[in-house]
Amino acid sequence: MRGLTGAGPERARRTARAATTVTSVLAALGLVATACGTGGTGTRDEGPAHAESAADARSSAPSYAASRMPVTAGARVDAVRLVKGDPTVSAAVKRELKPCVADEYPVDVSYGNLTGGTADDVVVNVLTCGDAVGVGSYVYRDRGGAYVNVFRTEEPPVYAEIDRGDLVVTMQVYERGDPVSSPSGENVITYRWTAGRFAEKFRTHNDYGKVAGTEPTPAPDS
């Protein structure tokens, strides 16, 4: 089941560069304040906190908070109901989860075997309307016939996907002095279900170029 927009880190990378949207999202979620970065960068002049801290501190440990939605084999879930009924999802994200047009909600949903259970696990990404900035990513698994939240990260821009049985989370990174419209790069973090929890297995960092788009391209000579 797909939401209003297509999935993928490439989409998240493009849309998250919309400064007005990102700023409003961060403000709504309480993440615009100056924060202490990792890697010795000190207090950040602009931009949200580093992705590393959010992923390590909040994402890998399972919460085992059951929703009230039963698991039905082969059925597609009501992702909005699932997220809104999840006590581990922040109140700020729940406030952002509202229809964009009529009864269409900005959620992307993927199904696959991430945790080795008998039923498919469910990955839900909550986005903003219009620019589709990821504000929260969650994984739910079947535990005793009900969906249980076993992974969450709520530091935008963020997007989670299933890749060959692994959970892959893309989080944009801001260095000292970065405006919210221009992150320095992204962390692509691969998690694997191990001993009843998601454990980080791989991490790739990609730096964004600072040249593209800053100067107009000269017209070729006649």
Side-chain angles (χ1 to χ4, degrees):
M1 183 175 75
R2 306 297 301 168
L4 295 179
T5 57
E10 181 62 28
R11 187 279 317 279
R13 183 183 307 121
R14 294 196 309 269
T15 58
R17 291 179 181 272
T20 302
T21 301
V22 176
T23 303
S24 62
V25 169
L26 296 173
L29 299 181
L31 296 172
V32 171
T34 55
C36 293
T38 58
T41 57
T43 302
R44 191 166 284 99
D45 292 336
E46 296 185 70
H50 264 289
E52 294 96 317
S53 59
D56 294 341
R58 293 184 291 172
S59 299
S60 56
S63 61
Y64 295 129
S67 77
R68 288 170 287 185
M69 184 181 295
V71 176
T72 303
R76 293 302 184 239
V77 304
D78 183 340
V80 174
R81 178 184 164 197
L82 186 62
V83 170
K84 287 192 172 183
D86 182 354
T88 71
V89 175
S90 71
V93 169
K94 290 179 181 180
R95 284 195 300 270
E96 289 294 307
L97 186 52
K98 52 193 175 184
C100 297
V101 178
D103 60 349
E104 295 292 327
Y105 286 81
V107 293
D108 282 352
V109 187
S110 301
Y111 302 85
N113 191 341
L114 287 169
T115 67
T118 56
D120 278 348
D121 302 301
V122 182
V123 177
V124 181
N125 288 285
V126 178
L127 314 169
T128 61
C129 293
D131 289 310
V133 175
V135 297
S137 298
Y138 311 92
V139 178
Y140 297 91
R141 78 184 302 255
D142 175 17
R143 191 185 190 204
Y147 283 110
V148 171
N149 184 321
V150 292
F151 181 98
R152 69 185 176 95
T153 182
E154 296 179 332
E155 185 164 346
V158 63
Y159 199 90
E161 297 179 287
I162 300 172
D163 184 4
R164 291 167 291 185
D166 289 333
L167 177 67
V168 178
V169 178
T170 301
M171 306 182 78
Q172 295 191 316
V173 175
Y174 291 79
E175 300 295 347
R176 185 187 223 17
D178 284 348
V180 292
S181 59
S182 299
S184 291
E186 66 182 10
N187 287 329
V188 181
I189 309 165
T190 300
Y191 294 94
R192 187 167 297 162
W193 186 256
T194 305
R197 64 190 292 270
F198 279 106
E200 181 180 330
K201 291 300 180 182
F202 310 104
R203 180 183 290 252
T204 301
H205 177 78
N206 300 314
D207 286 325
Y208 295 157
K210 299 295 185 181
V211 176
T214 58
E215 296 293 338
T217 303
D221 294 334
S222 300

